Amino acid sequence: MSIVTLNNRGVRSVTTFGSANAGSMVFIKKLTASSSGTLSFVNGASSVVLDNTYKEYLFTFNSIHPGADSQHIGFQGSTDTGSNYGVTTTSTLFRGYHAENDSDSGVAYRADYDVDQGTGFIPLADGISTGADNDQTVSGYIHLFNPSSTTFVKHYISRFNECHQVNYSIDGHVAGYFNTTSAIDAIQFKMSSGNIDAGDICLYGIL
């Protein structure tokens, strides 16, 4: 996918167009869950690229469904190609919400989902239900910036929409950073408990 941006003032005076230096989104890898305990993207394994080839990486997660009630999906990074996932992290989460029956709505900062120099998995969504509510899933994306840097921390931003356990639409926003100057060379996703029952996660590099 290429993106070219032109404004009206510039276009008005143009007589010819040369080649444009457009950004590109390059597909790298798709992982599909099937009662999976974890989904992992490890640089150099199974055709995964997560190094200095790209300054920005995009993960998209599509119709992620848990194998147990009221679980949230989270992620963590590794600096040793997946041997350990537990990089010190600080992040924050806020969300807008609206009930299906129009009984409740609002915007809330979720202090209980903050990560304060923690090493656990970073929550991206909360309380997806299963059982009789098999239509309830979460979809969204994470941008990870310059993970191969050995100078700076590694920032990430995420947005997701969740069909919540009590029939809410939740628009959630997560942002933070891996507080390390070591290169991040693997990312793993898993539920807070139980398996990822279904859904897929795709990895792209951004030129």
Side-chain angles (χ1 to χ4, degrees):
M1 179 181 75
S2 296
I3 302 171
V4 179
T5 302
L6 299 170
N7 61 56
N8 184 59
R9 186 177 299 277
V11 171
R12 186 169 53 193
S13 302
V14 170
T15 56
T16 61
F17 286 100
S19 60
N21 183 15
S24 297
M25 187 167 76
V26 180
F27 174 77
I28 297 172
K29 185 73 175 181
K30 176 180 178 180
L31 298 178
T32 300
S34 179
S35 297
S36 304
T38 60
L39 294 177
S40 305
F41 295 85
V42 180
N43 181 54
S46 303
S47 304
V48 170
V49 175
L50 192 62
D51 57 17
N52 62 1
T53 302
Y54 305 98
K55 288 284 190 175
E56 178 184 354
Y57 288 86
L58 172 67
F59 296 88
T60 62
F61 41 110
N62 307 289
S63 298
I64 299 296
H65 187 265
D69 281 326
S70 304
Q71 303 305 314
H72 65 259
I73 190 167
F75 78 109
Q76 244 293 359
S78 172
T79 60
D80 53 12
T81 56
S83 294
N84 299 280
Y85 291 93
V87 180
T88 300
T89 304
T90 293
S91 71
T92 188
L93 185 156
F94 74 93
R95 63 183 190 172
Y97 57 92
H98 189 194
E100 286 183 5
N101 62 8
D102 204 26
S103 63
D104 189 23
S105 62
V107 176
Y109 168 62
R110 291 297 303 270
D112 52 330
Y113 281 89
D114 280 351
V115 178
D116 180 14
Q117 289 297 92
T119 57
F121 272 65
I122 304 146
L124 294 171
D126 60 312
I128 315 165
S129 184
T130 58
D133 295 314
N134 276 329
D135 61 331
Q136 295 185 335
T137 61
V138 60
S139 297
Y141 58 81
I142 303 170
H143 288 272
L144 175 62
F145 300 95
N146 203 14
S148 66
S149 172
T150 55
T151 303
F152 303 111
V153 300
K154 320 303 184 291
H155 296 274
Y156 54 83
I157 56 175
S158 172
R159 186 175 185 180
F160 61 85
N161 191 76
E162 172 191 344
C163 184
H164 192 59
Q165 59 177 319
V166 286
N167 299 318
Y168 278 75
S169 174
I170 294 181
D171 176 22
H173 300 255
V174 176
Y177 53 85
F178 292 110
N179 195 8
T180 179
T181 56
S182 298
I184 298 291
D185 53 16
I187 295 289
Q188 185 176 89
F189 297 86
K190 70 177 183 179
M191 289 293 174
S192 49
S193 181
N195 292 332
I196 306 173
D197 178 61
D200 66 72
I201 302 176
C202 295
L203 172 62
Y204 300 84
I206 309 295
L207 288 173

